Amino acid sequence: MTFWSLFKRNRSAVLGLVILLAIVFMAATAQLFFPEDPFRLIGKPMSSPGENGFLLGSDSLGRDVASGIAHGAKTSLLIGLMATVVAVGFGTIMGGLAGYYGGRIDDLLMRVTEMFQTIPSFIFAILLVAIMKPSIESIVIAIAVVSWPAVARLVRGEFLSLKTREFVQACHTVGMSDIRIILGEILPNCLSPIIVIGSLMVATAILIESGLAFLGLGDPNIMSWGFQIGAGRTLLRSAWWVCTFPGIAILVTVLAINLVGEGLNDALNPRLRERT
Amino acid sequence: MKITKWISGALTAVTMVAAATAARAEGGTLVMLVQPEPPSLASYLSTSGPIGLMAPKIYEGLLDYDKDLQAVPSLAKSYKVSADGKTVTFNLQKGVKWHDGEPFTSADVQFTVMEVLSKIHPRGPNSFREVESIDTPDEHTAIFNLKNPAPYMLRALSGYESPMAPKHLLEGEDYRSAPLGNKPVGTGPFKFVEWKKGQYIRLDKNEDYWKEGLPKLDRIVGRFIPDASTRTAAMENGEVHYGAYGAIPNIDAVRLREMDSIGVTTDGYGMINPMALIEFDTTEPPFDDPKVRKAVSMALDRQFLIDNIWFGYGQPATSALSSNFGATGLHDAEAANYPSGPNVDEAKKLLKEAGAEDISITLDLIPYGEDWRRAGEYMKQALGDIGIKADLRYEDVPTWLKRIYADYDFDMNVNYFYQLPDPVLGVHRHYGTDQIRQGTHFVNSSRYSNPDLDALLVKGAQEPDAEKRAAIYSDVQKILGDDKPVANLFEMNFLTVYDSSLKDHDTSALGAYGSFSEAYFDK
Amino acid sequence: MSRTARRLRYVLKRLLQALPIVLAIVVVNFFLLHMAEGDAVDVLAGEAGSATPEYMAELRAKFGLDQPLPVQLLVYLKNVFSFDLGYSFRHEMPVLDLVLDRFVPTLLLMVSTILLAVGFGIVLGLLAATGLNTWRDTLISIFALVTYATPLFWVGLMFIVIFALNLGWFPTSGMKNVAAFNDTWSWANIKDVAHHLVLPTVTLSLFYLALYTRLMRASMLEQAGMDYVTTARAKGLTENRIMFVHVLRNALLPVVTMAGVQVGALIGGSVIVESVFAWPGLGMLAFEALFARDLNLLLGIFLLSALLVVAVNLVVDIIYSSLDPRIEVG
């Protein structure tokens, strides 16, 4: 069966994909529907949804919450994606090398991985952002730094089991170089769990970003959902819409990504495939 | 002119009678919000806000100040200033004991002022800079010998600003790490009992307090709640009774003041006098040009900041001095060459004259809460309207302090300063050439230097005559209004939110920084 | 060699392996923290209002912050090896006292959270797995995902508004009623603390609930596909017996492992929940230490939490091996 027909069988995963595509579309067209800078004060402060031409209301300075959500989608998705790419990339290298070479290299790399896992991760992310100063780059790096060990462990496990398989042994006998074996033979065979863990990581990264913003560690110059929530949280009791809508945006996105991730898991995981 | 001032002991007697009649309402535990958790309770070496909330219940000063900012007796029963203004004699209360039972004497006063406050207190060296020595002819008399008259000193003797510390517990110790810092022993109405880190500080009634019949409360607990929304909820729920200095955000205060069970006041900050402002780096382009600084000042809608970020609490600044100095005649409304409202065209014109069109700058924000971020976001937009592209920078406290006051690595910085009860105490530090002190916080980081102004500031500090002094400060305000090394934004009104059954917590000018000896619940 | 002796040797080996990790954590964080601008003295002086450069220099000398970095590091390491975590610059108190003081509240919150999340997660996961691809399964999955995806602070604040303010069932925040001052071990105090513990625990466990639900579900499904299940079926055992005796037992293994790993990681506390509910845990202590540049305190917290993670992981492995005799330690 093709991947798509497998994926399609999981209806909630398809729903997740549709929602996700809608969010991506929203991020891509934000500039079209809301040409103004989302930070622009364009109307009466604290207008409730529907009032004064604000679809989702305005915040304490008179900024359009809807515009913020549309523009913020780009930032939040970007932070999630970039952090994941960095974490998955680095984690795969570390885990791959450890798993493939084993022995001392494995020991060393796994000790390093353990070290990162031993530090309380959210505090560590806060620490990194505080040191590098709050900006979109530092947030991405911080999230990646606390996320990669999980990838490394996973990839190492896959490599450990794959490298003993016949087709890898065969490559060794024909004198293929290590790098070709790793990139050309083993890696493609453990892509599916990497894709699954990566998809879930995007969701977690978005949540971490909102947590950092809640603590005042967001980038002050870029609109993101985390920023909106951080800025709106003191208004929660008097203008619920300011932080509730971005909160819902995060919820829906995280939900969608998770559903897609589960769908990927079902479609890519051979053992589940046989059974259902 | 001869300045002699005796405060009659009658005032104390009146208080005593009042205490006796109000006895029916005594007792109870007051829970107040203290935010953030203070580093210590050593108010003799730190003026940190949260210390100021707890320590003045434990430590007392020589004087206290009533709601009209007039001095009333505290540890000093009375005081007398000599004809030339160079000798101030304090007549101390008798029978006052430290919480550990030792007697309080003039030796404690001498030690505290000479060894502690004028050496390691952040503002003490300024307040007591004219004090040459203190004589102690007997246990109950302390005579301050001054180099020059220092009228402002008498406004800096409260239990918050200049607390009297026990000599017998500090002498010979390293003042900064003495155990006293975490386990304070004072003469005040409440005794320190326990400090549970991360949770609360507990103070119990001082049964041997020297003011008969006081305090009325059994206990004061200071609670630490990091999140502002939770603080508000705790206040609404009656779990805490008192929150000052922005513990309850303005937006919530606006909502809570509609409730019968909760009161909101802006009283009690008269001696603090907070002013929101922008500091410019006056040594480098573009802000080395007064025109550019003025353009920025002119572009901003001060009322917008007050209405939408501070929810109506505040008044637009009209000069370098707060209008609260109007009470002492120092604020000159006429000199006020401050913009009354935003004027984009005028600001653009100024920028054009200065040749500073389409410039990019970084706007630093004081890292003391969300309100300042909102202010920065507004300013970024307003500056954009006059062609200044501003990038916001919001860093944590140590990074920011180092950047502004040690590295001078900034263009313009949003900040707020306490102007305190006298310009000498709170305003001079911002403008004097002698206040360009690299590495010292909250001084002249604009590095503005003007010999004419310096001369005026020296004269202003020593002039005992009120009218002459007003004239001097009028000139000061003219110069600063024209040059604007600092653009004042608005006079902040801090809020105190309290359980409305709590009475007499506001008898002193110090408000939340007062002793609360007379506070009681009327339930 | 006997099983006990082997175990003992294994434990020793693991502890020895952990030593360089803990050491590396100290060193890395030491340098990281020094990369941050400003130091504890800046913060103290800034809070105090103003201080002269001389005064600040004196303070730096007192804290040893005027020494070159490598010297500071060596001094710190030397102290650590003599089990001395140094003094907190900010609190003027031994780091160990401060951390231990916050350890009990942290443990209370974390253990109750994990118990709640694991308990409910197992039940929900079981329900989902036994009703695979029915509405029950879908509903449980969606519920778990929603609780996971809702930002924690929003849940926390909403709980305060609903359960503390509107319904008045629980206090808004803190660990005990500060007006009462009950004795620590009195019944009244225990009840009071438990009462304060409910909202933060429920909030935090909602976040972890999703994880355990999904893990349990996946683990059940995985086990259900194993050969021994087919064998059991062939032997004619009832489905219920297969499910609840054989499959459940094995499916619990990864859940227990995960719980163990998380208890370790959770020692660092949860900054957000502690902040919202003013719970006096290690997370807030670390958070405040970071922004006060209270280096000794932060390093101390990292060090102790690292030791705990190592210890907990070890215990988990040993439990694991007793649950599943096929896994041998050593």
Side-chain angles (χ1 to χ4, degrees), chain B residues 47-48 122 176 182 197-198 223 230 239 396 399 440-442, chain C residues 37 42 47-50 53 55 58 91 102 172-173 276 293:
Chain B
T47 53
S48 164
R176 281 182 288 270
N182 273 325
K197 294 272 179 186
R223 256 191 83 182
T230 311
E239 288 169 47
D396 67 2
T399 311
T440 301
H441 304 142
F442 306 115
Chain C
E37 299 270 350
D42 281 316
E47 271 183 332
S50 213
Y55 169 87
E58 245 179 84
H91 299 274
R102 297 292 186 91
T172 59
S173 56
V276 169
R293 299 288 186 273

PDB file of all heavy atoms in Angstrom, chain B residues 47-48 122 176 182 197-198 223 230 239 396 399 440-442, chain C residues 37 42 47-50 53 55 58 91 102 172-173 276 293:
ATOM      1  N   THR B  47      17.805  50.087  49.727  1.00  0.00           N
ATOM      2  CA  THR B  47      16.498  50.729  49.651  1.00  0.00           C
ATOM      3  C   THR B  47      15.573  49.941  48.739  1.00  0.00           C
ATOM      4  O   THR B  47      14.572  50.448  48.272  1.00  0.00           O
ATOM      5  CB  THR B  47      16.629  52.165  49.105  1.00  0.00           C
ATOM      6  OG1 THR B  47      17.344  52.109  47.874  1.00  0.00           O
ATOM      7  CG2 THR B  47      17.344  53.054  50.059  1.00  0.00           C
ATOM      8  N   SER B  48      15.914  48.696  48.508  1.00  0.00           N
ATOM      9  CA  SER B  48      15.110  47.810  47.678  1.00  0.00           C
ATOM     10  C   SER B  48      13.640  47.834  48.112  1.00  0.00           C
ATOM     11  O   SER B  48      13.332  47.770  49.300  1.00  0.00           O
ATOM     12  CB  SER B  48      15.697  46.402  47.826  1.00  0.00           C
ATOM     13  OG  SER B  48      14.805  45.448  47.370  1.00  0.00           O
ATOM     14  N   PRO B 122      22.665  53.156  50.146  1.00  0.00           N
ATOM     15  CA  PRO B 122      22.723  53.689  48.771  1.00  0.00           C
ATOM     16  C   PRO B 122      22.536  55.200  48.700  1.00  0.00           C
ATOM     17  O   PRO B 122      23.190  55.873  47.900  1.00  0.00           O
ATOM     18  CB  PRO B 122      21.571  52.980  48.063  1.00  0.00           C
ATOM     19  CG  PRO B 122      21.251  51.803  48.898  1.00  0.00           C
ATOM     20  CD  PRO B 122      21.649  52.119  50.292  1.00  0.00           C
ATOM     21  N   ARG B 176      27.555  43.960  55.862  1.00  0.00           N
ATOM     22  CA  ARG B 176      26.774  43.409  54.773  1.00  0.00           C
ATOM     23  C   ARG B 176      26.400  41.954  54.967  1.00  0.00           C
ATOM     24  O   ARG B 176      25.438  41.477  54.407  1.00  0.00           O
ATOM     25  CB  ARG B 176      27.525  43.577  53.456  1.00  0.00           C
ATOM     26  CG  ARG B 176      27.404  44.977  52.915  1.00  0.00           C
ATOM     27  CD  ARG B 176      28.113  45.087  51.608  1.00  0.00           C
ATOM     28  NE  ARG B 176      29.542  45.053  51.785  1.00  0.00           N
ATOM     29  CZ  ARG B 176      30.273  46.128  51.981  1.00  0.00           C
ATOM     30  NH1 ARG B 176      29.716  47.308  52.013  1.00  0.00           N
ATOM     31  NH2 ARG B 176      31.566  46.049  52.148  1.00  0.00           N
ATOM     32  N   ASN B 182      19.366  38.989  57.958  1.00  0.00           N
ATOM     33  CA  ASN B 182      18.270  38.040  57.763  1.00  0.00           C
ATOM     34  C   ASN B 182      17.400  37.895  59.010  1.00  0.00           C
ATOM     35  O   ASN B 182      16.324  37.324  58.960  1.00  0.00           O
ATOM     36  CB  ASN B 182      18.815  36.667  57.365  1.00  0.00           C
ATOM     37  CG  ASN B 182      19.018  36.549  55.861  1.00  0.00           C
ATOM     38  OD1 ASN B 182      18.239  37.100  55.089  1.00  0.00           O
ATOM     39  ND2 ASN B 182      20.067  35.863  55.454  1.00  0.00           N
ATOM     40  N   LYS B 197      11.682  31.026  53.223  1.00  0.00           N
ATOM     41  CA  LYS B 197      12.065  31.452  51.874  1.00  0.00           C
ATOM     42  C   LYS B 197      11.083  30.919  50.830  1.00  0.00           C
ATOM     43  O   LYS B 197      10.670  29.764  50.906  1.00  0.00           O
ATOM     44  CB  LYS B 197      13.475  30.953  51.540  1.00  0.00           C
ATOM     45  CG  LYS B 197      14.548  31.582  52.403  1.00  0.00           C
ATOM     46  CD  LYS B 197      15.063  32.876  51.825  1.00  0.00           C
ATOM     47  CE  LYS B 197      16.123  33.475  52.748  1.00  0.00           C
ATOM     48  NZ  LYS B 197      16.562  34.801  52.321  1.00  0.00           N
ATOM     49  N   GLY B 198      10.727  31.786  49.918  1.00  0.00           N
ATOM     50  CA  GLY B 198       9.794  31.382  48.869  1.00  0.00           C
ATOM     51  C   GLY B 198       8.348  31.475  49.300  1.00  0.00           C
ATOM     52  O   GLY B 198       7.447  31.283  48.494  1.00  0.00           O
ATOM     53  N   ARG B 223       3.645  38.081  52.203  1.00  0.00           N
ATOM     54  CA  ARG B 223       3.610  36.888  51.347  1.00  0.00           C
ATOM     55  C   ARG B 223       4.207  37.163  49.983  1.00  0.00           C
ATOM     56  O   ARG B 223       3.989  38.225  49.411  1.00  0.00           O
ATOM     57  CB  ARG B 223       2.162  36.436  51.146  1.00  0.00           C
ATOM     58  CG  ARG B 223       1.788  35.225  51.957  1.00  0.00           C
ATOM     59  CD  ARG B 223       0.448  34.692  51.511  1.00  0.00           C
ATOM     60  NE  ARG B 223       0.574  33.845  50.348  1.00  0.00           N
ATOM     61  CZ  ARG B 223      -0.466  33.274  49.739  1.00  0.00           C
ATOM     62  NH1 ARG B 223      -1.677  33.490  50.173  1.00  0.00           N
ATOM     63  NH2 ARG B 223      -0.269  32.510  48.687  1.00  0.00           N
ATOM     64  N   THR B 230      -2.268  36.028  39.941  1.00  0.00           N
ATOM     65  CA  THR B 230      -2.540  35.272  41.154  1.00  0.00           C
ATOM     66  C   THR B 230      -2.617  36.199  42.363  1.00  0.00           C
ATOM     67  O   THR B 230      -3.441  36.020  43.257  1.00  0.00           O
ATOM     68  CB  THR B 230      -1.446  34.210  41.379  1.00  0.00           C
ATOM     69  OG1 THR B 230      -1.251  33.499  40.167  1.00  0.00           O
ATOM     70  CG2 THR B 230      -1.839  33.249  42.463  1.00  0.00           C
ATOM     71  N   GLU B 239      -7.383  36.334  50.811  1.00  0.00           N
ATOM     72  CA  GLU B 239      -6.222  35.657  51.394  1.00  0.00           C
ATOM     73  C   GLU B 239      -5.122  36.649  51.742  1.00  0.00           C
ATOM     74  O   GLU B 239      -4.290  36.393  52.600  1.00  0.00           O
ATOM     75  CB  GLU B 239      -5.656  34.621  50.411  1.00  0.00           C
ATOM     76  CG  GLU B 239      -6.540  33.405  50.261  1.00  0.00           C
ATOM     77  CD  GLU B 239      -6.083  32.537  49.104  1.00  0.00           C
ATOM     78  OE1 GLU B 239      -4.879  32.259  49.002  1.00  0.00           O
ATOM     79  OE2 GLU B 239      -6.929  32.158  48.278  1.00  0.00           O
ATOM     80  N   ASP B 396      17.318  41.098  30.865  1.00  0.00           N
ATOM     81  CA  ASP B 396      17.050  40.914  32.288  1.00  0.00           C
ATOM     82  C   ASP B 396      17.801  41.960  33.123  1.00  0.00           C
ATOM     83  O   ASP B 396      18.623  42.713  32.611  1.00  0.00           O
ATOM     84  CB  ASP B 396      17.310  39.473  32.745  1.00  0.00           C
ATOM     85  CG  ASP B 396      18.776  39.098  32.689  1.00  0.00           C
ATOM     86  OD1 ASP B 396      19.597  39.966  32.335  1.00  0.00           O
ATOM     87  OD2 ASP B 396      19.096  37.943  32.993  1.00  0.00           O
ATOM     88  N   THR B 399      21.751  42.371  33.119  1.00  0.00           N
ATOM     89  CA  THR B 399      22.250  42.740  31.795  1.00  0.00           C
ATOM     90  C   THR B 399      21.925  44.214  31.513  1.00  0.00           C
ATOM     91  O   THR B 399      22.775  44.973  31.030  1.00  0.00           O
ATOM     92  CB  THR B 399      21.587  41.867  30.712  1.00  0.00           C
ATOM     93  OG1 THR B 399      21.675  40.507  31.105  1.00  0.00           O
ATOM     94  CG2 THR B 399      22.268  42.052  29.372  1.00  0.00           C
ATOM     95  N   THR B 440      27.901  53.056  38.737  1.00  0.00           N
ATOM     96  CA  THR B 440      26.922  53.294  39.791  1.00  0.00           C
ATOM     97  C   THR B 440      25.540  53.365  39.155  1.00  0.00           C
ATOM     98  O   THR B 440      25.348  54.063  38.166  1.00  0.00           O
ATOM     99  CB  THR B 440      27.230  54.608  40.521  1.00  0.00           C
ATOM    100  OG1 THR B 440      28.531  54.504  41.076  1.00  0.00           O
ATOM    101  CG2 THR B 440      26.224  54.860  41.630  1.00  0.00           C
ATOM    102  N   HIS B 441      24.601  52.658  39.755  1.00  0.00           N
ATOM    103  CA  HIS B 441      23.269  52.593  39.156  1.00  0.00           C
ATOM    104  C   HIS B 441      22.430  53.823  39.466  1.00  0.00           C
ATOM    105  O   HIS B 441      22.569  54.437  40.505  1.00  0.00           O
ATOM    106  CB  HIS B 441      22.520  51.356  39.657  1.00  0.00           C
ATOM    107  CG  HIS B 441      23.268  50.086  39.396  1.00  0.00           C
ATOM    108  ND1 HIS B 441      23.287  49.050  40.268  1.00  0.00           N
ATOM    109  CD2 HIS B 441      24.025  49.717  38.348  1.00  0.00           C
ATOM    110  CE1 HIS B 441      24.022  48.066  39.776  1.00  0.00           C
ATOM    111  NE2 HIS B 441      24.492  48.451  38.608  1.00  0.00           N
ATOM    112  N   PHE B 442      21.522  54.110  38.569  1.00  0.00           N
ATOM    113  CA  PHE B 442      20.522  55.156  38.750  1.00  0.00           C
ATOM    114  C   PHE B 442      21.128  56.526  39.038  1.00  0.00           C
ATOM    115  O   PHE B 442      20.697  57.228  39.949  1.00  0.00           O
ATOM    116  CB  PHE B 442      19.517  54.743  39.845  1.00  0.00           C
ATOM    117  CG  PHE B 442      18.897  53.416  39.571  1.00  0.00           C
ATOM    118  CD1 PHE B 442      19.114  52.328  40.401  1.00  0.00           C
ATOM    119  CD2 PHE B 442      18.110  53.227  38.438  1.00  0.00           C
ATOM    120  CE1 PHE B 442      18.563  51.088  40.115  1.00  0.00           C
ATOM    121  CE2 PHE B 442      17.550  51.992  38.148  1.00  0.00           C
ATOM    122  CZ  PHE B 442      17.784  50.922  38.995  1.00  0.00           C
TER     123      PHE B 442
ATOM    124  N   GLU C  37      25.642  38.547  30.975  1.00  0.00           N
ATOM    125  CA  GLU C  37      26.103  39.882  31.356  1.00  0.00           C
ATOM    126  C   GLU C  37      25.752  40.150  32.814  1.00  0.00           C
ATOM    127  O   GLU C  37      24.715  39.728  33.299  1.00  0.00           O
ATOM    128  CB  GLU C  37      25.410  40.937  30.494  1.00  0.00           C
ATOM    129  CG  GLU C  37      25.672  40.806  29.021  1.00  0.00           C
ATOM    130  CD  GLU C  37      26.895  41.591  28.589  1.00  0.00           C
ATOM    131  OE1 GLU C  37      27.412  42.380  29.409  1.00  0.00           O
ATOM    132  OE2 GLU C  37      27.336  41.415  27.454  1.00  0.00           O
ATOM    133  N   ASP C  42      25.847  43.310  40.635  1.00  0.00           N
ATOM    134  CA  ASP C  42      25.039  44.265  39.861  1.00  0.00           C
ATOM    135  C   ASP C  42      23.592  44.228  40.323  1.00  0.00           C
ATOM    136  O   ASP C  42      22.951  45.259  40.504  1.00  0.00           O
ATOM    137  CB  ASP C  42      25.090  43.921  38.361  1.00  0.00           C
ATOM    138  CG  ASP C  42      26.370  44.401  37.712  1.00  0.00           C
ATOM    139  OD1 ASP C  42      26.764  45.541  37.997  1.00  0.00           O
ATOM    140  OD2 ASP C  42      26.975  43.635  36.944  1.00  0.00           O
ATOM    141  N   GLU C  47      19.165  46.645  43.000  1.00  0.00           N
ATOM    142  CA  GLU C  47      17.978  46.568  43.844  1.00  0.00           C
ATOM    143  C   GLU C  47      18.081  47.526  45.010  1.00  0.00           C
ATOM    144  O   GLU C  47      17.093  48.118  45.438  1.00  0.00           O
ATOM    145  CB  GLU C  47      17.859  45.166  44.415  1.00  0.00           C
ATOM    146  CG  GLU C  47      17.095  44.228  43.549  1.00  0.00           C
ATOM    147  CD  GLU C  47      16.972  42.889  44.220  1.00  0.00           C
ATOM    148  OE1 GLU C  47      17.858  42.528  45.026  1.00  0.00           O
ATOM    149  OE2 GLU C  47      16.025  42.209  43.947  1.00  0.00           O
ATOM    150  N   ALA C  48      19.284  47.621  45.535  1.00  0.00           N
ATOM    151  CA  ALA C  48      19.475  48.459  46.723  1.00  0.00           C
ATOM    152  C   ALA C  48      19.150  49.907  46.398  1.00  0.00           C
ATOM    153  O   ALA C  48      18.808  50.692  47.250  1.00  0.00           O
ATOM    154  CB  ALA C  48      20.903  48.339  47.230  1.00  0.00           C
ATOM    155  N   GLY C  49      19.253  50.287  45.148  1.00  0.00           N
ATOM    156  CA  GLY C  49      18.969  51.655  44.744  1.00  0.00           C
ATOM    157  C   GLY C  49      20.168  52.211  44.030  1.00  0.00           C
ATOM    158  O   GLY C  49      20.115  52.565  42.871  1.00  0.00           O
ATOM    159  N   SER C  50      21.284  52.226  44.688  1.00  0.00           N
ATOM    160  CA  SER C  50      22.494  52.758  44.095  1.00  0.00           C
ATOM    161  C   SER C  50      23.646  52.340  44.981  1.00  0.00           C
ATOM    162  O   SER C  50      23.471  52.144  46.169  1.00  0.00           O
ATOM    163  CB  SER C  50      22.405  54.273  44.030  1.00  0.00           C
ATOM    164  OG  SER C  50      23.077  54.756  42.902  1.00  0.00           O
ATOM    165  N   PRO C  53      31.031  52.307  43.017  1.00  0.00           N
ATOM    166  CA  PRO C  53      31.873  51.254  42.432  1.00  0.00           C
ATOM    167  C   PRO C  53      32.792  50.614  43.480  1.00  0.00           C
ATOM    168  O   PRO C  53      33.053  49.415  43.412  1.00  0.00           O
ATOM    169  CB  PRO C  53      32.698  52.001  41.389  1.00  0.00           C
ATOM    170  CG  PRO C  53      31.886  53.192  41.039  1.00  0.00           C
ATOM    171  CD  PRO C  53      31.149  53.570  42.292  1.00  0.00           C
ATOM    172  N   TYR C  55      32.133  50.141  46.656  1.00  0.00           N
ATOM    173  CA  TYR C  55      31.303  49.217  47.429  1.00  0.00           C
ATOM    174  C   TYR C  55      31.083  47.935  46.640  1.00  0.00           C
ATOM    175  O   TYR C  55      31.170  46.830  47.167  1.00  0.00           O
ATOM    176  CB  TYR C  55      29.987  49.909  47.735  1.00  0.00           C
ATOM    177  CG  TYR C  55      28.885  49.050  48.300  1.00  0.00           C
ATOM    178  CD1 TYR C  55      28.778  48.840  49.666  1.00  0.00           C
ATOM    179  CD2 TYR C  55      27.928  48.477  47.471  1.00  0.00           C
ATOM    180  CE1 TYR C  55      27.763  48.084  50.193  1.00  0.00           C
ATOM    181  CE2 TYR C  55      26.900  47.715  47.983  1.00  0.00           C
ATOM    182  CZ  TYR C  55      26.819  47.509  49.346  1.00  0.00           C
ATOM    183  OH  TYR C  55      25.794  46.748  49.841  1.00  0.00           O
ATOM    184  N   GLU C  58      34.127  45.846  46.573  1.00  0.00           N
ATOM    185  CA  GLU C  58      34.281  45.159  47.854  1.00  0.00           C
ATOM    186  C   GLU C  58      33.415  43.901  47.910  1.00  0.00           C
ATOM    187  O   GLU C  58      33.859  42.846  48.339  1.00  0.00           O
ATOM    188  CB  GLU C  58      33.791  46.103  48.960  1.00  0.00           C
ATOM    189  CG  GLU C  58      34.842  46.568  49.930  1.00  0.00           C
ATOM    190  CD  GLU C  58      34.191  47.506  50.927  1.00  0.00           C
ATOM    191  OE1 GLU C  58      33.609  47.006  51.909  1.00  0.00           O
ATOM    192  OE2 GLU C  58      34.223  48.735  50.707  1.00  0.00           O
ATOM    193  N   HIS C  91      20.966  35.377  49.181  1.00  0.00           N
ATOM    194  CA  HIS C  91      20.253  35.109  50.428  1.00  0.00           C
ATOM    195  C   HIS C  91      21.159  35.083  51.647  1.00  0.00           C
ATOM    196  O   HIS C  91      20.666  34.954  52.760  1.00  0.00           O
ATOM    197  CB  HIS C  91      19.509  33.780  50.320  1.00  0.00           C
ATOM    198  CG  HIS C  91      18.474  33.756  49.234  1.00  0.00           C
ATOM    199  ND1 HIS C  91      17.198  34.205  49.411  1.00  0.00           N
ATOM    200  CD2 HIS C  91      18.550  33.365  47.945  1.00  0.00           C
ATOM    201  CE1 HIS C  91      16.519  34.074  48.282  1.00  0.00           C
ATOM    202  NE2 HIS C  91      17.328  33.573  47.364  1.00  0.00           N
ATOM    203  N   ARG C 102      13.483  23.933  49.940  1.00  0.00           N
ATOM    204  CA  ARG C 102      12.514  23.894  48.848  1.00  0.00           C
ATOM    205  C   ARG C 102      12.281  22.483  48.334  1.00  0.00           C
ATOM    206  O   ARG C 102      11.450  22.266  47.466  1.00  0.00           O
ATOM    207  CB  ARG C 102      13.036  24.727  47.667  1.00  0.00           C
ATOM    208  CG  ARG C 102      13.219  26.175  47.952  1.00  0.00           C
ATOM    209  CD  ARG C 102      11.885  26.843  48.166  1.00  0.00           C
ATOM    210  NE  ARG C 102      12.049  28.265  48.301  1.00  0.00           N
ATOM    211  CZ  ARG C 102      11.991  29.130  47.293  1.00  0.00           C
ATOM    212  NH1 ARG C 102      11.770  28.697  46.088  1.00  0.00           N
ATOM    213  NH2 ARG C 102      12.145  30.409  47.498  1.00  0.00           N
ATOM    214  N   THR C 172      -6.199  30.198  46.487  1.00  0.00           N
ATOM    215  CA  THR C 172      -5.616  30.555  45.195  1.00  0.00           C
ATOM    216  C   THR C 172      -4.171  30.099  45.071  1.00  0.00           C
ATOM    217  O   THR C 172      -3.743  29.695  44.001  1.00  0.00           O
ATOM    218  CB  THR C 172      -5.617  32.073  44.976  1.00  0.00           C
ATOM    219  OG1 THR C 172      -4.867  32.674  46.038  1.00  0.00           O
ATOM    220  CG2 THR C 172      -7.014  32.637  44.962  1.00  0.00           C
ATOM    221  N   SER C 173      -3.426  30.203  46.154  1.00  0.00           N
ATOM    222  CA  SER C 173      -1.985  30.039  45.985  1.00  0.00           C
ATOM    223  C   SER C 173      -1.309  29.774  47.319  1.00  0.00           C
ATOM    224  O   SER C 173      -1.928  29.833  48.376  1.00  0.00           O
ATOM    225  CB  SER C 173      -1.406  31.317  45.382  1.00  0.00           C
ATOM    226  OG  SER C 173      -1.759  32.404  46.206  1.00  0.00           O
ATOM    227  N   VAL C 276       2.586  30.425  38.910  1.00  0.00           N
ATOM    228  CA  VAL C 276       1.154  30.749  38.945  1.00  0.00           C
ATOM    229  C   VAL C 276       0.563  30.502  40.332  1.00  0.00           C
ATOM    230  O   VAL C 276      -0.210  31.310  40.836  1.00  0.00           O
ATOM    231  CB  VAL C 276       0.399  29.934  37.873  1.00  0.00           C
ATOM    232  CG1 VAL C 276      -1.103  30.041  38.078  1.00  0.00           C
ATOM    233  CG2 VAL C 276       0.767  30.420  36.487  1.00  0.00           C
ATOM    234  N   ARG C 293      21.578  36.300  39.144  1.00  0.00           N
ATOM    235  CA  ARG C 293      22.948  35.850  38.899  1.00  0.00           C
ATOM    236  C   ARG C 293      23.558  35.245  40.165  1.00  0.00           C
ATOM    237  O   ARG C 293      24.715  35.461  40.470  1.00  0.00           O
ATOM    238  CB  ARG C 293      23.834  37.017  38.426  1.00  0.00           C
ATOM    239  CG  ARG C 293      23.402  37.657  37.136  1.00  0.00           C
ATOM    240  CD  ARG C 293      23.669  36.776  35.933  1.00  0.00           C
ATOM    241  NE  ARG C 293      23.381  37.469  34.699  1.00  0.00           N
ATOM    242  CZ  ARG C 293      22.194  37.515  34.109  1.00  0.00           C
ATOM    243  NH1 ARG C 293      21.172  36.867  34.639  1.00  0.00           N
ATOM    244  NH2 ARG C 293      22.023  38.172  32.992  1.00  0.00           N
TER     245      ARG C 293
END
